[in-house]
Amino acid sequence: MKITLGVIKADIGSIGGHIKPSAAVMKAVRDYIESHGKKKIIDFFISHTGDDVAILMTHTGGVGDAEIHKMAWDAFVAGTDVAKSQGLYGAGQDLLKDAFSGNVKGMGPAVAEMEIEERPNEPFLFFAADKTEPGAYNLPLFLGFADPMYCPGLMLSPSMAEGFKFVIMDVDYTEGDRIIELNTPEDYYDITTLLRDNSRFVIESIWSRHNGDQAAAVSTSRLRNIAGKYTGKDDPVHLVRTQSAFPATGELLSPYAIGHYVAGTMRGSHNGPMMPCKQNTNISFFDGPAVVTCAAFCVHNGKFTEPADAFDHPFWDWSRDQISQKALEIRRQGFSGPAMLPYDDLEYGGIVEKMGKLDKLFTVRGD
Ligand code: F6R
Ligand code: MG
Ligand code: MG
């Protein structure tokens, strides 16, 4: 059966700052999808990661289906009304346009979708991250799909040894989708050359070279490019199919133990480690560290099983302790050097304004 597997997520307001949405907001979004999705949606699952609400769905409308996108947009509008009525902080924050216009891409919410021919058994992972940017997934996805140090399947499974196609987007280009397609293993170094720059080049999708099937879809929206100013970090989502001709679930999870440094955390303007957390984790210390959650499912005829929480295991408790130390270590140097983002990536205008004033006060000393 051909189905569309998609997730659309938005920050529409949260309790106590940027911590988590209220139960009433979650209920409003769920109720909206339940009552309006009957005809169009096969199944759905609502969750939150930090302050972001995600609607995971299956349907048969294909990628970018206008009705599905409108339904998700309207569900977020319904949630925003509740957020406003409760005085939540940043109510409607990610709904950057006044009226829906065909597709939520470019309007604020993050989207990751793929149309797939459902396998008889179809395991997949739904990742959601808060307080970071889409390029945060570059490293774990690259290691999971291209590096035998993390993914022994590339050596052990003949179908995986044929490699994967990476579609990478230049997210600084705002006139349209500027993409490049590169293949592993032969383009390995070209791929890493791009992926080192998480703020500009983002893995958008990954495809099996064995059977041409899509393995992964990642949200690529950069809110500041839509709004023209900082309105909260992008907080990306991605979907990835696992097992058989794709990497095993554990091969895809294991790179998250690195807790690699990503852009985001406080005021979207710092570097900090990304911490793999249990589902529905709140945000705390220094509006971060950035969190990533992973709900594992199987889907059959478009119907989801219940989720298995992939980061709910004693191994990840230990890992989170190590990553907390990484968070403290970089934090100890406050504003200095790599602790904060470079000038062009700062998400608030204060420093840029100050530099404008200070620049005029500089003098060039005579000999
Ligand atoms: C939330 C985020 C936060 C805020 C910070 C200040 O996604 O990035 O770190 O930037 O809490 O928020 P404002 O400027 O809304 O007071
Ligand atoms: Mg968020
Ligand atoms: Mg937010």
Side-chain angles (χ1 to χ4, degrees):
M1 178 182 180
K2 202 170 231 178
I3 59 159
T4 311
L5 183 59
V7 57
I8 304 184
K9 76 97 223 170
D11 175 352
I12 50 172
S14 46
I15 301 177
H18 294 276
I19 296 180
K20 68 167 200 171
S22 66
V25 165
M26 296 291 288
K27 181 174 177 331
V29 173
R30 186 175 295 113
D31 287 352
Y32 192 93
I33 298 289
E34 215 152 50
S35 56
H36 293 79
K38 285 201 178 78
K39 266 199 265 148
K40 192 83 190 181
I41 286 182
I42 307 173
D43 205 357
F44 72 96
F45 174 80
I46 313 273
S47 59
H48 79 89
T49 296
D51 57 14
D52 297 291
V53 183
I55 310 169
L56 177 71
M57 293 170 273
T58 48
H59 56 90
T60 52
V63 169
D65 182 277
E67 258 184 85
I68 294 289
H69 279 230
K70 173 144 181 28
M71 191 189 321
W73 176 267
D74 289 343
F76 290 137
V77 170
T80 297
D81 290 343
V82 173
K84 283 183 179 157
S85 76
Q86 291 187 302
L88 296 197
Y89 195 66
Q93 178 176 289
D94 282 359
L95 307 185
L96 298 178
K97 306 279 162 163
D98 292 335
F100 179 78
S101 62
N103 189 312
V104 295
K105 264 195 181 165
M107 301 187 69
V111 192
E113 302 178 290
M114 50 184 155
E115 191 170 42
I116 61 169
E117 189 60 55
E118 208 186 68
R119 297 171 289 175
N121 19 60
E122 185 62 69
F124 77 94
L125 307 175
F126 156 46
F127 287 88
D130 190 28
K131 306 291 180 265
T132 188
E133 62 186 13
Y137 293 131
N138 280 352
L139 182 66
L141 276 173
F142 177 76
L143 296 176
F145 276 91
D147 187 344
M149 296 284 284
Y150 286 82
C151 181
L154 296 167
M155 299 179 294
L156 297 170
S157 152
S159 51
M160 285 178 61
E162 291 177 41
F164 292 90
K165 177 178 81 179
F166 285 70
V167 182
I168 297 170
M169 187 180 285
D170 175 355
V171 293
D172 274 358
Y173 187 81
T174 51
E175 305 298 306
D177 289 351
R178 185 165 186 260
I179 56 152
I180 185 170
E181 297 188 0
L182 295 167
N183 293 312
T184 54
E186 62 269 32
D187 300 328
Y188 194 96
Y189 298 152
D190 292 337
I191 294 174
T192 56
T193 300
L194 295 176
L195 295 189
R196 56 161 289 286
D197 187 351
N198 288 338
S199 79
R200 177 161 180 200
F201 298 110
V202 175
I203 296 173
E204 184 219 42
S205 58
I206 302 175
W207 304 72
S208 163
R209 295 177 78 189
H210 170 66
N211 55 20
D213 283 356
Q214 183 166 2
V218 185
S219 67
T220 51
S221 50
R222 300 283 342 243
L223 293 174
R224 68 166 185 212
N225 290 342
I226 300 170
K229 59 177 181 10
Y230 183 58
T231 58
K233 218 60 183 176
D234 321 295
D235 305 339
V237 285
H238 86 262
L239 298 169
V240 52
R241 301 164 78 192
T242 72
Q243 308 294 146
S244 196
F246 303 130
T249 296
E251 288 168 332
L252 291 164
L253 295 177
S254 66
Y256 288 90
I258 299 169
H260 66 303
Y261 288 111
V262 297
T265 184
M266 180 55 70
R267 295 183 185 273
S269 300
H270 292 78
N271 283 311
M274 185 155 83
M275 183 182 279
C277 288
K278 293 180 193 174
Q279 272 182 271
N280 300 318
T281 294
N282 298 338
I283 297 301
S284 186
F285 168 73
F286 204 60
D287 287 2
V291 301
V292 58
T293 60
C294 175
F297 292 87
C298 279
V299 57
H300 190 59
N301 295 331
K303 288 276 179 195
F304 296 130
T305 58
E306 72 273 28
D309 191 339
F311 293 132
D312 183 3
H313 182 279
F315 172 82
W316 297 104
D317 293 335
W318 178 86
S319 206
R320 285 187 278 266
D321 285 349
Q322 309 293 307
I323 293 168
S324 297
Q325 283 177 12
K326 286 186 72 167
L328 276 174
E329 209 44 62
I330 194 154
R331 209 50 304 285
R332 269 153 52 100
Q333 67 179 64
F335 58 80
S336 183
M340 279 190 96
L341 297 191
Y343 189 77
D344 285 343
D345 283 337
L346 291 175
E347 296 281 16
Y348 279 71
I351 289 183
V352 177
E353 266 174 40
K354 268 199 190 62
M355 279 304 296
K357 281 186 205 147
L358 293 174
D359 198 54
K360 295 193 188 87
L361 301 177
F362 274 88
T363 55
V364 180
R365 203 182 268 149
D367 52 358

